[in-house]
Amino acid sequence: MATKEPSFEEQLAQLQQIVNQLEQGNTPLEEALEQFQTGIKLSKSLQNKLTSAEKTLGHLIDDDGNEQVYENNTDDPSNNGGGNRGFGSGDSVKG
């Protein structure tokens, strides 16, 4: 039977624990190297999970039920995250 991979939160907690131990500076060198390597593996795994989640969330459904790719254009603050409605969308308010 295959073992279940730890959740994102469990991996993040493990990484934080490793960082805290290494920051204390009293870990023997060999153990510190092993912890560092484990931390790198955890960091890569967490990054992969975040990238996967970002891709999943990067698809939006418009009002007609069509899937639209979300373009995160955060460099332009007036763009309001790339959406086509709301603040900075170019819609004029009449009043």
Side-chain angles (χ1 to χ4, degrees):
M1 178 185 272
T3 59
K4 185 180 118 182
E5 183 177 337
S7 70
F8 180 88
E9 290 78 9
E10 292 168 337
Q11 287 183 326
L12 184 58
Q14 185 180 359
L15 179 59
Q16 289 172 331
Q17 182 179 16
I18 289 171
V19 169
N20 290 338
Q21 289 173 351
L22 292 175
E23 284 179 340
Q24 290 177 4
N26 55 4
T27 305
L29 180 61
E30 293 82 12
E31 186 179 336
L33 288 172
E34 287 178 20
Q35 287 182 342
F36 181 79
Q37 290 173 339
T38 301
I40 294 296
K41 290 177 185 175
L42 285 168
S43 177
K44 287 180 181 180
S45 176
L46 291 167
Q47 183 61 48
N48 288 339
K49 288 181 179 184
L50 286 173
T51 300
S52 176
E54 186 177 70
K55 287 179 183 177
T56 300
L57 295 173
H59 294 271
L60 304 175
I61 305 297
D62 67 14
D63 292 338
D64 297 324
N66 299 315
E67 185 174 305
Q68 300 293 320
V69 176
Y70 174 75
E71 295 180 20
N72 188 2
N73 190 1
T74 58
D75 291 341
D76 180 2
S78 67
N79 193 15
N80 194 29
N84 61 357
R85 294 190 187 120
F87 234 34
S89 68
D91 296 338
S92 60
V93 178
K94 298 184 183 196

